[in-house]
Amino acid sequence: YGKSALLDELAPALDELALTLRVPKAAPFGTFLSDLAAALLAAGLSLPGGDLAGWKKAHAGNDLKARSLVQVLREYRATGATAPVLLVDDATGLTQSMVPALLALAEYAALICAVQPETVKKSGLARWWNKCDRVELGPLDRAEARALVDAVTARYGIVAQDMQAYKNRVLSLSEGIPGEIERLVRYVSTHD
């Protein structure tokens, strides 16, 4: 709970320490690899095949694409550079077939993968999760959730006839999940 918000807070500090690459999702895996390739290009690294289209054309299949990206990171590290950080905003879709590529990427980059708690229990991912350190984020307590609702309603200029009832509705629906509070403040009707 609050995974993306935590990554948003970490990213600027990580940028100062190392090359930081941010990818929105780990699945589908082909999209993840393309997003990582685009992030590498945006950071000024070269891809085999030149641009993104050339890279895709030169590497048919996810296995070859993943190997080529591992090679890019290996060459980057060979220059003596600090290991880059790869932030994956949503790794909930991880599957067992992705693990070998992720382990190879982790040899040359620090991976930070944000997931829903149930993802850690998925079958076939134990090898991956055993290599990871975990930070578990629980839901906000009632006071923290109320403070966030107050801040978000103020930020969006929400006005309701019974503001307290509106905020209580958002609180009860959100169950203390920060992302849900953000979403619900914008979409819960102020008239209901």
Side-chain angles (χ1 to χ4, degrees):
Y1 303 108
K3 306 175 307 297
S4 296
L6 180 59
L7 292 181
D8 288 342
E9 288 189 34
L10 285 174
L14 293 172
D15 282 337
E16 291 180 20
L17 298 173
L19 172 67
T20 303
L21 309 163
R22 194 154 186 177
V23 178
K25 290 184 167 199
F29 198 52
T31 303
F32 164 78
L33 295 170
S34 293
D35 289 343
L36 177 53
L40 289 165
L41 281 172
L45 279 74
S46 298
L47 291 178
D51 62 3
L52 196 56
W55 170 78
K56 287 179 182 180
K57 189 175 180 178
H59 300 88
N62 288 341
D63 188 51
L64 291 176
K65 287 177 180 161
R67 288 173 193 247
S68 72
L69 297 179
V70 169
Q71 182 60 34
V72 169
L73 292 173
R74 181 183 297 130
E75 290 169 4
Y76 177 75
R77 289 299 312 278
T79 67
T82 302
V85 176
L86 173 55
L87 297 176
V88 183
D89 252 340
D90 181 5
T92 301
L94 284 177
T95 64
Q96 184 176 0
S97 64
M98 299 175 192
V99 170
L102 292 173
L103 290 171
L105 288 169
E107 291 291 319
Y108 302 101
L111 272 66
I112 299 176
C113 300
V115 297
Q116 296 288 339
E118 62 274 4
T119 303
V120 180
K121 299 172 188 165
K122 275 187 184 177
S123 170
L125 295 177
R127 184 171 155 215
W128 170 249
W129 296 123
N130 288 338
K131 292 252 181 205
C132 299
D133 293 326
R134 284 193 280 202
V135 175
E136 295 188 24
L137 303 174
L140 300 175
D141 66 29
R142 188 91 175 144
E144 293 167 329
R146 184 165 295 283
L148 182 57
V149 169
D150 290 343
V152 175
T153 54
R155 179 178 350 127
Y156 289 112
I158 303 294
V159 177
Q161 188 172 5
D162 185 346
M163 201 60 184
Q164 201 55 42
Y166 169 78
K167 289 179 179 180
N168 287 340
R169 178 77 176 141
V170 170
L171 282 169
S172 69
L173 291 170
S174 71
E175 298 178 355
I177 302 170
E180 283 297 291
I181 291 171
E182 284 277 345
R183 185 182 69 78
L184 289 166
V185 162
R186 293 179 294 185
Y187 298 110
V188 167
S189 171
T190 58
H191 302 298
D192 292 342

